[in-house]
Amino acid sequence: MLKDIWKVMMFRYLKKFFLCLLFTVISALVLIFTYHQICLTKEQKLLDNPSGRLVQVDGKKMNVYVTGQGDKTLVFLAGGGTTSPILDFKALYSRLEKDYRIVVVERLGYGFSDDIQGDSRDINTVLAQTRQALKKAEITGPYTLVAHSMAGLEVLHWAAKYPEEIQGIIGLDLALPSSYTNLRLYPLAYKGLQMAANLGLSRVFYDADKQVPALASGDLTAEEKQIYKALFYRRPLSNAVYEEVTQVKQNAELVSKEKFPELPILLFASNGQGTGYSQGEWQSFQKDFAAEHSQTELVLLDRPHYVHDYASDELAEKIKQFLK
């Protein structure tokens, strides 16, 4: 009899405990979401005048930023998931803009460009949109393509399809087709992180100032840091990036089968930190590519994946030598 009473009491206690816990969690989420929405409203004024020029591409707005001057045009393309390509690349292009025309194209889902809703991010679509954005912004080639990480697939595809438009390629720790062969994808995990970010949890639990290389590099002004964080908290994980992730292996397979023309190439390879690979594994992809293409210069760096934020002075000098 006493055991039965004890069981009933324990069940009631546990029920009340879990109900209180559930109420606490829900209340906390509501408070965080409310705070997040208030902050987004306040931060909107930072985004009302975007850096660059918005052009219409496939019914959406894509942002193209132009600065600098010179006979050579350097087109910067960001790696997967970079919040603000314009500000992310500033540490590097600010050291080049006196000598070259700098162009940063923000893909759909990045920076000030519109996001997508279920549209394909196959490599042909992505490249067609980049070329159309340049055309709409009246930026003519030939170009030197400066690509970080996953954008390596786009520039290799570009060179294979339209070699007459490309003068050379500068790889900022490129993710080459071979690096995606054994890649494991977790789309449900991405969606879970996206939902958490939209609730505002990233604003509370993610220290962007310390975790984002562009913010820690010291090359952004106080206002630019505010703009970067406003962009980050508004759309930390876009639908376009999700679609890119789910289609990246197919894109890599397509690019791996294409015939790549002989072009002057400068490759910077990181130590693998931030890629999911060890230094030896990551740099082996770069070394194999360089061995197959005779006009490739490979520079090995003991720096993390966002090499342009960690070694901007060194990269700028090497790039100037390469472009001469």
Side-chain angles (χ1 to χ4, degrees):
M1 185 68 178
L2 289 174
K3 287 184 177 180
D4 292 338
I5 294 173
W6 182 82
K7 288 180 181 179
V8 171
M9 290 177 65
M10 283 299 298
F11 176 76
R12 289 176 178 174
Y13 171 78
L14 290 173
K15 183 178 179 181
K16 288 181 179 179
F17 172 78
F18 284 113
L19 285 174
C20 288
L21 180 62
L22 180 62
F23 175 78
T24 301
V25 170
I26 292 174
S27 298
L29 290 175
V30 169
L31 287 172
I32 290 172
F33 179 73
T34 303
Y35 170 68
H36 179 52
Q37 294 302 308
I38 292 171
C39 289
L40 288 178
T41 301
K42 291 181 178 179
E43 292 163 353
Q44 184 56 46
K45 63 182 180 182
L46 293 168
L47 309 178
D48 286 339
N49 297 303
S51 301
R53 176 181 174 186
L54 294 171
V55 296
Q56 285 287 332
V57 175
D58 292 347
K60 296 185 182 296
K61 295 176 183 176
M62 278 184 69
N63 194 40
V64 181
Y65 175 80
V66 183
T67 186
Q69 56 188 353
D71 296 332
K72 291 184 174 67
T73 299
L74 278 56
V75 176
F76 283 70
L77 298 168
T82 300
T83 296
S84 174
I86 293 171
L87 296 177
D88 178 66
F89 283 130
K90 187 193 174 186
L92 180 56
Y93 70 65
S94 63
R95 291 162 169 79
L96 300 169
E97 59 187 345
K98 289 182 180 179
D99 302 302
Y100 312 102
R101 181 168 64 161
I102 305 297
V103 182
V104 183
V105 180
E106 296 190 318
R107 295 193 298 276
L108 293 178
Y110 291 71
F112 289 101
S113 295
D114 287 344
D115 199 4
I116 65 167
Q117 190 63 51
D119 298 351
S120 175
R121 303 312 291 156
D122 68 274
I123 199 70
N124 285 309
T125 299
V126 172
L127 176 57
Q129 290 174 344
T130 297
R131 293 175 69 241
Q132 191 177 348
L134 288 169
K135 183 178 180 180
K136 291 285 186 71
E138 301 176 332
I139 307 297
T140 57
Y143 315 108
T144 296
L145 303 179
V146 187
H148 176 235
S149 194
M150 190 180 69
L153 297 180
E154 184 178 358
V155 300
L156 294 179
H157 185 54
W158 196 339
K161 289 197 71 173
Y162 308 101
E164 70 282 359
E165 296 180 2
I166 312 302
Q167 284 186 320
I169 292 174
I170 298 170
L172 307 176
D173 210 31
L174 290 191
L176 297 161
S178 55
S179 64
Y180 290 104
T181 302
N182 297 316
L183 178 71
R184 298 183 67 180
L185 302 174
Y186 303 95
L188 288 179
Y190 184 96
K191 281 297 184 183
L193 290 172
Q194 187 183 52
M195 184 180 297
N198 291 337
L199 283 171
L201 296 179
S202 57
R203 189 182 292 275
V204 176
F205 297 108
Y206 187 85
D207 189 347
D209 284 306
K210 293 181 179 179
Q211 299 296 326
V212 176
L215 294 176
S217 69
D219 283 275
L220 301 183
T221 66
E223 183 181 2
E224 286 170 338
K225 287 183 177 181
Q226 287 183 313
I227 292 170
Y228 195 110
K229 287 189 282 189
L231 287 167
F232 176 81
Y233 292 126
R234 179 191 68 159
R235 194 174 61 197
L237 298 166
S238 69
N239 296 322
V241 172
Y242 170 78
E243 295 299 334
E244 286 177 351
V245 169
T246 59
Q247 296 179 54
V248 70
K249 292 192 74 168
Q250 296 95 308
N251 288 336
E253 185 177 0
L254 185 153
V255 173
S256 69
K257 295 176 180 177
E258 293 181 315
K259 185 177 180 180
F260 187 74
E262 283 302 321
L263 289 169
I265 302 172
L266 176 61
L267 286 186
F268 296 100
S270 77
N271 59 15
Q273 185 180 337
T275 67
Y277 288 95
S278 68
Q279 181 169 341
E281 289 174 319
W282 182 251
Q283 292 185 348
S284 70
F285 300 131
Q286 318 284 335
K287 291 176 181 178
D288 290 345
F289 181 89
E292 294 171 2
H293 301 91
S294 60
Q295 294 189 56
T296 300
E297 178 185 355
L298 176 61
V299 180
L300 301 178
L301 302 168
D302 190 16
R303 300 297 180 93
H305 185 46
Y306 277 75
V307 290
H308 47 284
D309 286 315
Y310 291 103
S312 51
D313 285 322
E314 182 180 351
L315 266 62
E317 288 305 312
K318 287 281 188 182
I319 289 171
K320 289 176 183 178
Q321 294 171 18
F322 172 74
L323 293 174
K324 287 179 181 178

